[in-house]
Amino acid sequence: NATNMAATNAMCSSLSLLLLLCAMVTGQVEILEISNELHLKGDDVIMAAGDGDLTASQVRDMMTNTLPTMQTDVSDAATEIANLKKQIANQTNHIGDLYNMIQKQAKLIESQNVGLQTLNATQDIQYGDIMDTVQMLNESKNKQIEEAFTYVGSVESLAVKALEDLKNVHTRIDNLNITVNTSMASCKELYEAGFTDDGTYEISPDGKAIKVYCDMSTGGWTLVGMVHTCNVRGHDEPSNWFVSGLNAEDPLLSKNLNLHDSGLMSLGVARFSDYLKSHKKPLAKLEIIAHLQASQRCLYYKDISGDNVFSTLFEVNNRNYPSTICRDEQMTTRCLSNYIGQRPAGDLTLFSNVTLYAGNVNIPSYVHMRLNSDKTISASCICSGTVRNTLWHDSGIDFHWGNGAKIWIN
């Protein structure tokens, strides 16, 4: 655009120069015409004088009147021509400047063309790179789609297998002629019927369905009572909490969830009475849980086959119905006589001959509770009696209170 404008200006300036030249020629023509007129008039005067038509005085007067006017005309024409020459010189210089500008613009255009060629080459390279990337993305997309279809196919296969397994389970249940909701009296019977997953089930130990938590990983144990760990004193803890079935409907019990300061929970003993009598060697599993580290636990197995052993647990008179307690289910390791009830002094509810341990190391301890019926009511939950022993993690309340427990039957 700049070059076009400069060229246009140069053309206009050239036209102006042409006009100036024409004007100068016109001025020169005028001078010639004046000179010719002067010569003609001079000739006329001379001829008139020669013919005797004019006197010498008349000739002189005529020349005197004519010459000044002609001289003025000639002088004006000369002045105009001089001005025209200056304008022509200026216009010539302007045309030269415009020509130089045109040359510069031409060089600029040439360099811009080189830049455009370089840019086009770069764009061609970039376009090639983009097309390569697009091709790679397409190949990756196609591969992912193929893998997705393969995965969907495998999921469909797994779904078909799962449906077949489910049908097999239903067939197995039908063949056994059982229903999970009402037919089984305990988790042990469910386990023996083929149910091996830990979780919440419905059983009917007395003909009425209840929700319980079953530990199937160790052979089918039914959770019947919990002492939740605690951080504060003052929990209501009646001595008949286990026998009466305190908070039996609480979902924490049926889901086996320990929650600090949630108190005592039990399914009661009456509903399990007939079931336990039908077994030759029913056991209760006592699981004591450290207050500050729930993963630290001690297990004891207690014989509950004798009369009133299970039906008086935690009550005052349970000490009148002692039974054997051991550290293993086979009832062969560190077996001692045990009761879980108020000791003769009446000041606490004792877990007699229950000693805490960490691995193979026995921890000096005195496991007990302070229930409402005990003479001395102190902190809540279970006391380990360890008092600052670092092997057992329960230094929450008075350095040995706040522990929990779970009671299971098989």
Side-chain angles (χ1 to χ4, degrees):
N1 289 338
T3 304
N4 291 338
M5 185 176 294
T8 301
N9 289 335
M11 291 175 64
C12 292
S13 298
S14 299
L15 181 60
S16 298
L17 179 61
L18 181 61
L19 293 175
L20 289 174
L21 291 172
C22 291
M24 186 175 68
V25 171
T26 302
Q28 290 176 343
V29 169
E30 289 179 354
I31 292 175
L32 291 175
E33 290 179 349
I34 293 171
S35 178
N36 291 331
E37 184 179 353
L38 180 61
H39 283 292
L40 290 174
K41 287 187 177 183
D43 291 340
D44 291 340
V45 170
I46 293 171
M47 288 178 65
D51 294 337
D53 294 336
L54 296 176
T55 63
S57 177
Q58 288 175 335
V59 170
R60 187 175 50 252
D61 290 338
M62 182 180 296
M63 295 299 293
T64 300
N65 293 330
T66 302
L67 285 175
T69 301
M70 289 184 177
Q71 289 176 350
T72 299
D73 291 340
V74 170
S75 177
D76 290 343
T79 300
E80 185 176 354
I81 289 172
N83 290 334
L84 289 173
K85 286 182 178 180
K86 290 181 181 180
Q87 292 181 23
I88 289 170
N90 291 335
Q91 198 69 18
T92 302
N93 292 333
H94 182 58
I95 291 173
D97 292 340
L98 290 175
Y99 175 75
N100 292 333
M101 184 182 297
I102 290 172
Q103 286 186 324
K104 290 181 180 179
Q105 291 294 331
K107 290 181 180 180
L108 178 60
I109 290 172
E110 183 178 0
S111 64
Q112 289 176 343
N113 286 334
V114 173
L116 286 174
Q117 290 175 355
T118 304
L119 180 60
N120 288 334
T122 303
Q123 288 178 339
D124 289 340
I125 295 173
Q126 291 177 343
Y127 178 77
D129 292 341
I130 292 172
M131 293 305 296
D132 291 341
T133 303
V134 170
Q135 183 176 358
M136 291 175 60
L137 290 175
N138 285 332
E139 292 175 354
S140 176
K141 178 191 68 176
N142 293 334
K143 183 177 180 181
Q144 290 177 350
I145 291 174
E146 182 179 353
E147 291 176 351
F149 277 113
T150 302
Y151 176 74
V152 170
S154 63
V155 170
E156 288 178 345
S157 299
L158 290 174
V160 171
K161 187 177 183 303
L163 289 175
E164 291 177 353
D165 291 342
L166 183 60
K167 290 179 181 178
N168 292 335
V169 170
H170 284 296
T171 302
R172 186 178 180 185
I173 293 174
D174 292 339
N175 292 337
L176 291 171
N177 193 25
I178 62 171
T179 59
V180 176
N181 291 335
T182 58
S183 296
M184 300 302 171
S186 70
C187 296
K188 183 72 170 180
E189 291 186 2
L190 286 171
Y191 177 79
E192 292 174 347
F195 294 91
T196 57
D197 292 330
D198 295 343
T200 302
Y201 293 82
E202 281 192 355
I203 61 173
S204 300
D206 59 351
K208 296 179 181 179
I210 56 171
K211 290 183 178 181
V212 297
Y213 187 87
C214 294
D215 177 8
M216 299 301 193
S217 60
T218 58
W221 289 84
T222 304
L223 181 62
V224 296
M226 292 183 70
V227 178
H228 290 269
T229 55
C230 58
N231 295 318
V232 297
R233 304 170 184 269
H235 287 286
D236 182 26
E237 297 178 330
S239 60
N240 69 339
W241 71 273
F242 184 78
V243 173
S244 64
L246 182 67
N247 300 317
E249 303 298 327
D250 196 300
L252 292 176
L253 181 59
S254 62
K255 294 181 179 179
N256 188 26
L257 297 175
N258 176 70
L259 182 63
H260 280 325
D261 298 307
S262 295
L264 309 176
M265 298 177 183
S266 169
L267 295 176
V269 300
R271 66 179 62 197
F272 294 100
S273 177
D274 292 338
Y275 165 74
L276 294 176
K277 289 179 180 179
S278 67
H279 286 69
K280 293 180 180 180
K281 294 182 179 180
L283 296 178
K285 179 170 62 175
L286 175 63
E287 184 179 2
I288 301 175
I289 305 168
H291 169 240
L292 298 180
Q293 185 177 328
S295 62
Q296 185 177 25
R297 305 183 178 202
C298 287
L299 294 178
Y300 279 88
Y301 296 85
K302 180 178 175 65
D303 179 7
I304 55 174
S305 60
D307 292 340
N308 300 318
V309 174
F310 183 72
S311 62
T312 60
L313 279 178
F314 294 93
E315 289 197 338
V316 174
N317 62 339
N318 187 260
R319 65 175 179 267
N320 297 326
Y321 309 102
S323 67
T324 302
I325 193 168
C326 306
R327 288 188 180 177
D328 64 330
E329 188 176 350
Q330 291 73 31
M331 306 297 284
T332 60
T333 304
R334 199 184 180 280
C335 297
L336 299 169
S337 178
N338 164 267
Y339 69 87
I340 302 176
Q342 193 179 78
R343 71 178 181 176
D347 57 341
L348 55 82
T349 297
L350 180 64
F351 294 59
S352 68
N353 288 321
V354 172
T355 302
L356 300 179
Y357 56 90
N360 295 324
V361 179
N362 290 323
I363 303 172
S365 51
Y366 192 67
V367 181
H368 62 279
M369 298 179 71
R370 303 278 189 175
L371 301 178
N372 295 352
S373 59
D374 297 324
K375 293 179 181 179
T376 304
I377 302 176
S378 182
S380 300
C381 305
I382 294 177
C383 175
S384 66
T386 55
V387 187
R388 292 191 176 92
N389 191 308
T390 57
L391 292 177
W392 186 258
H393 301 90
D394 66 344
S395 59
I397 304 174
D398 296 337
F399 305 106
H400 54 187
W401 284 97
N403 299 284
K406 296 178 183 179
I407 300 93
W408 308 76
I409 61 172
N410 70 346

